[in-house]
Amino acid sequence: MGQDYVIKRSSAMDFQETRRTGVREKKLVTSDECPYQNLILIDMEKGAEVELHKIHCSESIFLLHGELEIIFADENVKLKSGDCCYFKPESLHGMRCINGPARFLAVFSPSKATTE
């Protein structure tokens, strides 16, 4: 990183499609800009899903609006606007938008996340 900070104007950025139907993202801070974390703004349409998966770093999400169902191997938990959820590294998890659209911030740390 050539400077001590990164500024992104999310209002000037377009949402990008992801490989998951109904899920779009704005990459606010990337691993190219910061080795310590990724920060992604994510929009999900009602009914959109992120399949059960593991990542090798920690992940936190903060739900800005809408409702998500967080899916674990043995239980599901509903999140509403203002709720936060932390996933430790290697935890198996997924999510579904149950009342949407939903928008949340996802923070991955360190920034080099890989999935299984």
Side-chain angles (χ1 to χ4, degrees), residues 63-108:
L63 188 57
L64 298 165
H65 65 80
E67 291 183 32
L68 295 178
E69 182 176 37
I70 305 301
I71 303 164
F72 299 101
D74 56 354
E75 71 174 315
N76 295 352
V77 178
K78 288 184 183 179
L79 297 184
K80 295 184 178 187
S81 296
D83 290 347
C84 182
C85 183
Y86 167 77
F87 307 101
K88 66 183 184 178
E90 305 296 333
S91 64
L92 184 64
H93 65 281
M95 63 187 70
R96 177 180 307 115
C97 182
I98 55 176
N99 185 9
R103 177 172 286 177
F104 60 94
L105 285 172
V107 179
F108 301 90

Side-chain angles (χ1 to χ4, degrees), residues 18-60:
T18 69
R19 62 184 169 90
R20 297 173 176 107
T21 303
V23 180
R24 302 177 317 138
E25 66 185 12
K26 290 184 182 183
K27 295 181 179 180
L28 303 176
V29 179
T30 68
S31 60
D32 292 335
E33 298 158 332
C34 176
Y36 308 108
Q37 67 181 14
N38 286 351
L39 179 61
I40 302 172
L41 183 62
I42 299 175
D43 272 2
M44 290 181 77
E45 296 174 4
K46 183 176 181 178
E49 293 188 29
V50 174
E51 71 284 351
L52 280 172
H53 64 285
K54 286 184 187 181
I55 57 173
H56 301 293
C57 63
S58 69
E59 176 182 357
S60 297

